[in-house]
Amino acid sequence: MSNIKLENVRLLDPVEKIDLITTVYLKNGKRVESLEHIDESIDAQGKWLMPTMVDLCARVREPGQQQHGTLKSEGKAARENGILHVITPPDSKPIVQDNGALIHGLIEKAWTDGQFHLHIIGAQTQGLMGKQPANMAALKKGGCTAVSNANASFEDDDVVIRTLEYAAGLGLTVVFYPEEAQIAKDGCVHEGFIASRQGLPMIPAIAETIAIAKYLIMIEATGVRAHFGLISSGKSIELIEAAKAKGLPVTADVAMHQLHLTESLIDGFNSLAHVRPPLRSEQDKQQLRLAVKSGVIDAICTHHEPLSSSAKMMPFAETLPGISAFDTYVALGVQLVKEGLFEPLEWVEKVTIAPAQVANMLERWQAEKGWVLVDPDLQWTLEKKSILSSGKNTPLLNQTLTGKVVQTFLI
């Protein structure tokens, strides 16, 4: 906790729409106009100062899966990479997210152990079994602003409609990770030439688009506010764009790795590229990029899923899906800027204020956001020993990346 002067820094403030090389004063992590005394003066020439980030989808594994990661390890990885608010789906094991009291305790533990703000999406159905609505009133009382059935399927569409009506009555957002189970079945990779050549079971893009189309009809009928997470298909964008044009209360996000990586990485049965939804085609990647740029997709998330080394050592189809993403998030964002997709402030908006708005936590984020100093030209090699997360499962291992958080200033 100190008074800091940053000179020659490029201030990227999405709240005030500022993109300016200037001198910034921070008092205990808050930006102020001036300081009576200065504890530390930093020449930040060439560096960017941006708010801490909000992640709409990350799994921190605890409780129940500590072999892959803990609140302490993943909290440290998130915080030191500039992510202060982490939103997690309701599918930890054992599932505690259909109990408001337990949710409150887990949120407190995240701050105590990992010094990060954990936000838990409540279970949409009891135990995520897809049969009966969860006690959403208790979930809301416990602090949840959204519910989801995560990757679990529903027994039938009537259950979906009843849960949407229930959520709408309570003012809760419903988060969908869209995938039609009957089409995806036991698939693990994108339907295409590479998967066919390797004989791997496939998940066609239509599994996602059919689910979105069906849910959009239900959203319109019930009036519930809905968010589509982890969009991976270019065809899905058309449906979301049409829904927004129609005035439906719908938002969407995409994982950062879907904006960079494609199905080509699964060649040679590279299990580090096994993620769900799967890495798709080059055309899908380009369409996703344009959708984020235009605002059809509102925000970018990490989709961080740390896994132990043994989880990726079986035959490809039997490995657990997931990519450890906290440690590469900023570098991949900087790459989007350097490739000309975004101006720096545009990228900052997609990982800060936009996800905060989607998550209904804009005021809270503004009150406690803190600041992050990024060196956009710092080149570094991603090695297992340099990854702060317990999960070293990333197809970017041993690659040279550019851009990194070099200092955080938290409130």
Side-chain angles (χ1 to χ4, degrees):
M1 306 293 281
S2 59
N3 296 339
I4 298 173
K5 178 183 179 182
L6 293 134
E7 298 180 283
N8 305 309
V9 72
R10 186 170 183 178
L11 175 62
L12 301 171
D13 187 339
V15 177
E16 298 185 22
K17 305 293 184 185
I18 296 174
D19 181 353
L20 179 69
I21 296 175
T22 185
T23 296
V24 174
Y25 301 96
L26 298 177
K27 183 178 180 65
N28 298 331
K30 291 187 176 182
R31 187 161 70 91
V32 294
E33 293 299 320
S34 62
L35 293 168
E36 292 184 2
H37 71 275
I38 296 171
D39 298 315
E40 182 180 4
S41 184
I42 300 172
D43 184 357
Q45 186 170 7
K47 298 181 177 65
W48 301 345
L49 186 69
M50 60 181 284
T52 55
M53 291 171 278
V54 177
D55 189 1
L56 288 172
C57 185
R59 288 179 171 85
V60 291
R61 296 307 182 190
E62 190 178 344
Q65 294 182 311
Q66 287 91 331
Q67 74 273 25
H68 300 305
T70 65
L71 292 172
K72 184 176 182 179
S73 69
E74 303 319 296
K76 177 182 175 65
R79 190 180 66 255
E80 295 198 18
N81 285 289
I83 305 165
L84 190 59
H85 290 270
V86 175
I87 299 165
T88 191
D91 55 359
S92 62
K93 296 178 181 180
I95 296 168
V96 298
Q97 283 83 353
D98 56 3
N99 185 308
L102 290 176
I103 287 174
H104 185 70
L106 192 56
I107 290 171
E108 287 187 342
K109 191 173 189 295
W111 181 253
T112 301
D113 290 0
Q115 284 78 57
F116 73 108
H117 297 295
L118 182 65
H119 306 263
I120 301 171
I121 299 172
Q124 192 172 345
T125 62
Q126 294 177 19
L128 300 179
M129 297 299 290
K131 296 180 178 180
Q132 296 291 331
N135 187 346
M136 295 185 197
L139 291 170
K140 184 175 181 179
K141 188 175 181 180
C144 291
T145 60
V147 295
S148 175
N149 222 45
N151 293 329
S153 60
F154 296 94
E155 185 176 61
D156 55 49
D157 290 339
D158 181 59
V159 174
V160 184
I161 294 171
R162 284 190 287 126
T163 58
L164 297 192
E165 291 171 340
Y166 190 3
L170 292 169
L172 294 170
T173 300
V174 175
V175 179
F176 293 105
Y177 302 103
E179 183 181 273
E180 192 66 21
Q182 292 180 344
I183 298 175
K185 294 183 179 178
D186 297 322
C188 62
V189 293
H190 174 63
E191 182 180 53
F193 173 75
I194 297 174
S196 297
R197 178 164 52 81
Q198 298 189 152
L200 291 171
M202 296 176 281
I203 303 175
I206 198 173
E208 180 176 287
T209 54
I210 285 179
I212 291 175
K214 180 175 69 174
Y215 292 143
L216 283 173
I217 294 171
M218 297 179 183
I219 291 164
E220 184 172 15
T222 60
V224 72
R225 186 175 187 268
H227 178 75
F228 289 103
L230 310 180
I231 297 301
S232 68
S233 164
K235 289 294 184 181
S236 299
I237 296 163
E238 299 175 13
L239 295 171
I240 293 169
E241 184 174 22
K244 286 188 170 188
K246 200 173 183 179
L248 296 185
V250 169
T251 52
D253 71 59
V254 63
M256 181 67 84
H257 54 250
Q258 296 284 6
L259 302 176
H260 293 272
L261 311 179
T262 67
E263 60 179 335
S264 63
L265 283 179
I266 68 170
D267 201 11
F269 301 97
N270 178 11
S271 64
L272 291 176
H274 182 194
V275 66
R276 194 159 189 159
L279 299 177
R280 299 212 182 266
S281 68
E282 177 67 25
Q283 182 180 2
D284 286 310
K285 185 189 83 172
Q286 295 301 334
Q287 289 175 315
L288 290 168
R289 285 184 167 207
L290 293 176
V292 178
K293 174 74 172 180
S294 69
V296 174
I297 293 179
D298 300 83
I300 306 171
C301 70
T302 67
H303 195 194
H304 175 71
E305 296 198 78
L307 293 168
S308 65
S309 58
S310 61
K312 291 291 188 179
M313 294 177 66
M314 296 174 284
F316 189 104
E318 298 175 28
T319 60
L320 294 178
I323 292 175
S324 182
F326 282 160
D327 290 87
T328 58
Y329 192 48
V330 167
L332 293 181
V334 169
Q335 184 177 331
L336 294 176
V337 173
K338 290 185 178 295
E339 290 177 1
L341 181 65
F342 295 123
E343 292 297 319
L345 185 58
E346 288 181 301
W347 163 64
V348 169
E349 288 172 345
K350 300 298 182 181
V351 296
T352 59
I353 191 170
Q357 289 171 324
V358 167
N360 294 312
M361 52 171 284
L362 182 58
E363 290 185 6
R364 179 179 174 183
W365 170 75
Q366 287 185 258
E368 58 193 17
K369 62 181 182 291
W371 295 86
V372 174
L373 191 63
V374 173
D375 186 340
D377 298 315
L378 178 64
Q379 290 192 333
W380 56 287
T381 300
L382 182 68
E383 300 174 320
K384 285 187 177 181
K385 64 182 180 181
S386 68
I387 296 176
L388 296 174
S389 167
S390 287
K392 316 303 179 184
N393 50 301
T394 167
L396 299 173
L397 272 177
N398 301 317
Q399 291 193 24
T400 298
L401 304 176
T402 302
K404 193 172 182 62
V405 171
V406 293
Q407 199 165 351
T408 58
F409 309 97
L410 303 182
I411 296 173

